[in-house]
Amino acid sequence: MCLDIDDTLIDCTAAIRLSLRTLTGQNDLWPLWDLITEEHVALVVAGEIDYATMHHKRTECFLAEIGILADEEQVTGFERRRREILTRSWQLFDDVLPCLEWLRAAGVLVAAVTNASGAHQRKKIADLGLARFFDHVAIAGELGVAKPDPAMFHSVCLGLGCDPAQAVHVGDKLDTDAIGARDAGLGAVWLDRDGIAERAPAGVHTISGLDELPELLVSEFAKLGVPVQRATEAPAFTVRNSVL
């Protein structure tokens, strides 16, 4: 089982909205921040800049877009304060721990798969008590490849010791997570927490919360022999052709 982190397990959007509102006094800046973030992460994935540079340039671009021409020191200060607010604001969605506990009890190998930077994301995972649930952690900032590139998903399967067809990936982004996983040969689940009601393409399952994931795994994926399970733990449900 492969799980995205931000806005799948951790309510990243709420924390970022709070940080932007606190620092600017405006409530409607999340879409702009998200767009600028995607543009700058693409530069990291392309190998043009590293994550530390990206964080600074993203903030500089964001401030310029809202009419604030900041010098280097001001940009650094804004980014530092933003991170301090985020560190205090990260929270798990209510359905996360029950789902992870179920996967652990079922003996399913679990990987975290994220396009964020390494040290930042590992600290977040540790601080929120998630590290104990993961058998493998794949971070774009450490691997030099990111979702939806099939190489990212295949590296995770290699880390778990399974074939792509034995893995299922769950994430909140339809294109990056679900379609990317499907195209890489994994089972694909789109976590549509916002109820966008967009029709998922063929080969992509949709859930509105992680509380729906156990039933989906049992009803839709168990007959295919996925997800791969730990050899040392008895499964909580029966699957065929699993790697045991």
Side-chain angles (χ1 to χ4, degrees):
M1 172 58 59
C2 307
L3 296 168
D4 171 57
I5 298 297
D6 292 335
D7 288 327
T8 295
L9 304 182
I10 300 171
D11 193 350
C12 183
T13 295
I16 294 175
R17 284 182 185 274
L18 174 62
S19 69
L20 297 178
R21 182 171 65 249
T22 301
L23 293 173
T24 68
Q26 300 184 50
N27 293 315
D28 57 350
L29 295 177
W30 160 250
L32 174 63
W33 177 267
D34 191 38
L35 177 62
I36 293 173
T37 295
E38 289 191 4
E39 292 173 347
H40 283 72
V41 168
L43 296 177
V44 176
V45 174
E48 296 181 23
I49 58 176
D50 58 26
Y51 267 97
T53 302
M54 183 278 286
H55 291 150
H56 185 89
K57 287 186 173 297
R58 174 185 57 182
T59 295
E60 183 178 43
C61 180
F62 170 76
L63 291 174
E65 286 290 335
I66 63 174
I68 300 176
L69 299 179
D71 59 27
E72 291 292 306
E73 183 177 349
Q74 291 170 324
V75 171
T76 299
F78 184 97
E79 180 64 14
R80 183 184 65 253
R81 293 193 300 274
R82 188 187 69 85
R83 284 176 172 273
E84 290 171 350
I85 295 170
L86 288 180
T87 299
R88 299 193 301 267
S89 305
W90 299 127
Q91 290 188 344
L92 300 177
F93 290 103
D94 292 340
D95 55 13
V96 171
L97 291 180
C99 180
L100 291 174
E101 293 286 5
W102 185 89
L103 291 170
R104 173 64 64 174
V108 178
L109 292 170
V110 181
V113 189
T114 173
N115 279 359
S117 58
H120 169 68
Q121 201 72 327
R122 287 186 182 277
K123 184 178 187 305
K124 191 192 307 181
I125 291 170
D127 288 350
L128 291 173
L130 295 177
R132 63 191 176 95
F133 292 105
F134 298 129
D135 300 284
H136 181 69
V137 178
I139 300 177
E142 297 175 348
L143 296 174
V145 65
K147 301 175 292 184
D149 190 325
M152 179 64 157
F153 294 103
H154 293 165
S155 74
V156 178
C157 293
L158 182 64
L160 291 176
C162 69
D163 294 329
Q166 293 176 291
V168 176
H169 177 75
V170 181
D172 68 294
K173 294 187 182 299
L174 178 57
D175 293 333
T176 305
D177 288 304
I179 295 177
R182 181 202 65 183
D183 292 349
L186 287 74
V189 180
W190 177 33
L191 177 58
D192 180 20
R193 290 191 181 277
D194 296 325
I196 296 174
E198 180 178 344
R199 185 180 180 85
V204 172
H205 296 271
T206 303
I207 57 176
S208 60
L210 291 177
D211 55 324
E212 300 174 15
L213 185 59
E215 181 179 354
L216 178 65
L217 293 179
V218 172
S219 64
E220 297 296 331
F221 291 112
K223 62 180 179 293
L224 301 178
V226 295
V228 66
Q229 294 179 301
R230 293 184 184 83
T232 57
E233 297 184 26
F237 59 92
T238 302
V239 297
R240 294 192 293 111
N241 301 321
S242 287
V243 176
L244 297 176

